[in-house]
Amino acid sequence: MRWPRQIASAAAVTAVLAGPPIVLTYTVGWPLPTHPTQEHLRQWLSDPLTEDTLIAGLVLLAWMLWLLIAALTLRTAVTRAAATIRRLRRLPLPTPMQATATGMAGAAALWAPTTTTATTTDAPPAPTPTSTGEHPHPQQAADAGVDVPGAWIPADTAHQIAAAGTLVWLRRRRLYRPPPPGQRRDDSDLTALPPTVTAVQAALADTPPTPATPLRIPTGGIGLTGPAATDAARGILLTTLLRTLRDTTQSTTIVTSRTDLHTLLGPQTLPLHDLPGLTVTDTPADAITTITHPPHPGLAHPTLLTHAPTDPDTAARLATALTHTPGVLIGTWTHGPNWHITPDGHTERGTGGGRTRLCVLTATAARDLLAVLTPTPPTPPAVAAPRQRPPAPTPPPEASPPKLFTLRVLGNPTLWVADKPVTIRRTAGLQVLVALAVHPDGTTTHDLATTIWPGLAGHTVARRLYTTLSDLRKDITTAGYPHPIAHTDDRYHLDHHHTDVDLWRLNAAIDHASTTVANHAPAHQAVIDLYTGDIAVNHTWPWLDLIREKTRRHVIDAHTTLATSAPDPHTRLHHLQNALRLDPYNEHLHHQAANTLATLGRHHDADALLTRYQQRLTDAGITPPHPAVRR
């Protein structure tokens, strides 16, 4: 809560302004005579260093120091008040949010539990984006947005990007096909999201979506000039496509050419031809023809994005085409208004316009963000493992003797010291523990810092990491216990001799199950039993998504292996239902379960299962290419 700090600040200012005069007045009074006379002056000239004059000098010096402190305090207060007034004037009036934006942003929470027993104590989240919950993100912008490398993104757009990144992982979960027993799993689709996307996700740190008024592009076209004109054009491209994705009922679309996209995004091409809301023509001239004569009703309200033509005849033709159509023209537009874009995205519009801030993206940042909007290619089938001499079987994990530290990262992360839970004050400290748990061999200082704070300067994240480790050490060693984190050869790692981690025992069971040739059922059941939930289930740290999915797939494979070897349909259905509880978005598992229900004669239940699955995908923002049917 802020009001206790505000009261304390007000009390401190009052004490500085009123305290010294009161103390001086009541202790020594005013040392000088009220009406100095000539006699007083002659006495001072004849004997200037008397006790009274020395006291008077010291008191006058104290009063002068107080006046200096009071002036500085008042100046600071006035500066802060003026800044607050300017910020309040810039705040937009709340407007109704696009309903589907909330749906996209909520996709990340569709599979998360509604309660938590975390032992982490954090301050309430600030109303602006933060990186870890207790540190304000150092690159926050004052205009309700976030700064990431190569981009400034409005807050509502940033939340849509984070939600789009979440949908990428949901689509990967939907398309995953567990391999048959004896075949190697293909995880080629499990790649980390682009750096700009993860930086946006980390900067938001669980802050709620922010409503904003969408940018209105005027008909007749506007020219973008200034040092960030091209960056702003990329921002308009991205925000328009996001608006189309979250509201498929609208017919607004961007019309541009391959030539313009090559200039905006560079030679690296993306599969943008199937992206909803984008129409790409071969040349800029073809783009003008497309907005003049739309080839289909879906282009009833296009927005043209191209470079301002320098040829007078082409410019005149374009001006006619834009009579009733919005257009964004990179460069000076001789037939309409121009917006001068500064490097940070601020724009000064023409006569009758105002000052606002646009999304600005470098070519690299734009490619990163557009990558999460492009259609996901289907997962290739599993590749059969070569039939060579099988590796030596891994011995089953043995129960280790009790250790001083017990770290649980499956489910809600908790650290226990001598059977007592430790309260971790900083969320970043909890991230450090989980990161070292998923990297048992340790990680370098740079990798650990940039994992938790992606997109920030190296010296900034290093300082944050040292502060976090110092506070974490205080949290753990207060009771006189040693520290579980060791630092060897510039690598941080958990002390294996004194630390027991549930994820390590699960990974040992996974290794044992993958090398077991005979009587594999107990080995796969051990994997299932040791998996007690997603890693750090209540936290949305973007660096964990890939590790979570790999671990989840191992457990799904254990379920499907047991289902394949089940002696009867009832047992098979039981294992498949357990797998569906683990991942309710997987398409293959749903079809396998529906087919098993049909085998048991429960056709109505099979159809109901697929209907519910179809609705779940729709609610999450995933529209399958065809209705769910049994295969």
Side-chain angles (χ1 to χ4, degrees):
M1 296 173 59
R2 294 184 176 181
W3 63 266
R5 294 196 298 269
Q6 294 173 345
I7 293 177
S9 299
V13 172
T14 302
V16 169
L17 296 178
I22 295 175
V23 172
L24 290 173
T25 301
Y26 280 92
T27 54
V28 298
W30 184 254
L32 298 180
T34 306
H35 301 288
T37 62
Q38 292 183 353
E39 182 63 24
H40 291 145
L41 181 60
R42 282 197 300 270
Q43 290 179 0
W44 181 78
L45 291 174
S46 62
D47 190 7
L49 299 179
T50 64
E51 181 179 357
D52 290 339
T53 56
L54 288 176
I55 293 175
L58 292 175
V59 173
L60 285 174
L61 179 61
W63 279 99
M64 292 175 66
L65 289 175
W66 170 79
L67 286 173
L68 177 62
I69 295 173
L72 293 175
T73 302
L74 289 175
R75 179 182 178 182
T76 301
V78 170
T79 301
R80 290 182 177 179
T84 301
I85 293 173
R86 288 194 300 269
R87 185 172 65 253
L88 291 175
R89 287 177 177 175
R90 288 196 300 265
L91 286 176
L93 293 176
T95 58
M97 287 190 64
Q98 302 287 343
T100 49
T102 304
M104 285 185 65
L110 285 176
W111 64 89
T114 57
T115 59
T116 175
T117 57
T119 58
T120 307
T121 57
D122 290 309
T128 52
T130 58
S131 59
T132 60
E134 74 281 340
H135 287 301
H137 198 281
Q139 295 175 323
Q140 289 174 12
D143 298 84
V146 294
D147 268 315
V148 295
W152 182 87
I153 306 172
D156 66 320
T157 303
H159 279 285
Q160 295 167 36
I161 292 168
T166 298
L167 289 180
V168 170
W169 288 106
L170 282 182
R171 293 188 184 99
R172 291 173 177 177
R173 290 172 62 176
R174 178 176 74 89
L175 296 175
Y176 173 62
R177 294 176 64 93
Q183 293 190 4
R184 181 184 300 124
R185 189 177 74 208
D186 180 55
D187 284 340
S188 59
D189 64 318
L190 291 187
T191 57
L193 297 183
T196 308
V197 179
T198 57
V200 169
Q201 291 176 322
L204 294 178
D206 301 330
T207 57
T210 304
T213 303
L215 178 68
R216 303 294 183 183
I217 304 298
T219 58
I222 51 101
L224 300 182
T225 63
T230 306
D231 294 347
R234 299 187 192 99
I236 293 173
L237 171 65
L238 177 76
T239 53
T240 304
L241 293 177
L242 281 170
R243 188 163 64 249
T244 303
L245 284 176
R246 77 177 187 230
D247 185 4
T248 57
T249 61
Q250 69 160 353
S251 55
T252 301
T253 186
I254 287 284
V255 176
T256 188
S257 69
R258 289 186 176 86
T259 304
D260 292 308
L261 286 180
H262 185 276
T263 303
L264 291 174
L265 303 178
Q268 302 182 29
T269 58
L270 292 168
L272 301 178
H273 53 276
D274 292 330
L275 189 61
L278 181 64
T279 298
V280 182
T281 64
D282 291 331
T283 65
D286 294 336
I288 299 176
T289 302
T290 299
I291 65 170
T292 306
H293 305 288
H296 54 80
L299 287 177
H301 302 287
T303 296
L304 179 66
L305 174 60
T306 188
H307 286 72
T310 56
D311 175 62
D313 294 336
T314 305
R317 178 185 172 219
L318 178 57
T320 302
L322 293 177
T323 302
H324 303 290
T325 303
V328 178
L329 310 176
I330 306 169
T332 302
W333 177 228
T334 56
H335 294 267
N338 291 277
W339 296 353
H340 181 86
I341 313 298
T342 62
D344 62 356
H346 282 100
T347 173
E348 293 289 350
R349 305 184 185 181
T351 305
R355 179 177 171 85
T356 187
R357 193 174 189 185
L358 303 180
C359 176
V360 286
L361 307 171
T362 62
T364 300
R367 288 194 299 267
D368 282 356
L369 299 181
L370 288 171
V372 301
L373 306 184
T374 55
T376 304
T379 304
V383 179
R387 288 301 175 181
Q388 300 176 353
R389 177 180 297 178
T394 304
E398 298 180 356
S400 58
K403 296 183 178 181
L404 177 60
F405 299 102
T406 302
L407 179 59
R408 298 288 178 262
V409 298
L410 296 171
N412 188 37
T414 309
L415 176 66
W416 297 73
V417 181
D419 297 328
K420 295 181 180 179
V422 178
T423 299
I424 307 300
R425 292 173 296 165
R426 292 178 179 267
T427 304
L430 200 62
Q431 283 201 70
V432 168
L433 290 174
V434 176
L436 296 181
V438 301
H439 297 290
D441 295 332
T443 180
T444 65
T445 302
H446 176 268
D447 289 344
L448 182 59
T450 54
T451 292
I452 298 175
W453 297 285
L456 300 186
H459 68 279
T460 301
V461 295
R463 184 171 62 251
R464 285 189 171 198
L465 178 61
Y466 297 143
T467 301
T468 299
L469 290 172
S470 177
D471 289 346
L472 185 59
R473 181 180 296 273
K474 294 176 183 177
D475 292 338
I476 297 173
T477 60
T478 301
Y481 297 109
H483 195 49
I485 299 178
H487 187 248
T488 307
D489 298 330
D490 194 37
R491 295 181 72 85
Y492 288 99
H493 60 89
L494 292 174
D495 186 346
H496 289 241
H497 297 290
H498 299 95
T499 309
D500 175 70
V501 182
D502 56 352
L503 181 62
W504 295 354
R505 289 188 279 108
L506 172 64
N507 288 334
I510 291 171
D511 292 340
H512 174 63
S514 65
T515 57
T516 299
V517 178
N519 194 22
H520 57 76
H524 290 291
Q525 188 60 50
V527 172
I528 295 170
D529 293 340
L530 288 172
Y531 184 78
T532 55
D534 275 348
I535 303 173
V537 67
N538 294 312
H539 299 276
T540 57
W541 305 325
W543 60 270
L544 263 181
D545 289 331
L546 187 148
I547 303 167
R548 282 171 173 161
E549 183 57 22
K550 284 186 176 180
T551 305
R552 183 188 296 110
R553 288 185 178 185
H554 283 302
V555 187
I556 289 176
D557 293 350
H559 282 293
T560 56
T561 300
L562 294 179
T564 301
S565 60
D568 59 84
H570 292 281
T571 306
R572 174 181 172 83
L573 179 62
H574 171 73
H575 290 302
L576 290 173
Q577 288 173 332
N578 288 337
L580 283 175
R581 293 188 186 96
L582 179 63
D583 192 347
Y585 294 94
N586 187 274
E587 183 175 294
H588 179 75
L589 293 177
H590 276 85
H591 288 300
Q592 294 297 310
N595 290 337
T596 305
L597 286 169
T599 301
L600 294 171
R602 298 167 57 181
H603 300 282
H604 176 75
D605 292 338
D607 293 338
L609 175 67
L610 295 180
T611 300
R612 290 194 301 271
Y613 174 61
Q614 182 97 11
Q615 186 60 49
R616 182 179 294 112
L617 295 181
T618 301
D619 293 341
I622 305 174
T623 303
H626 51 75
V629 294
R630 291 198 297 275
R631 295 186 298 204

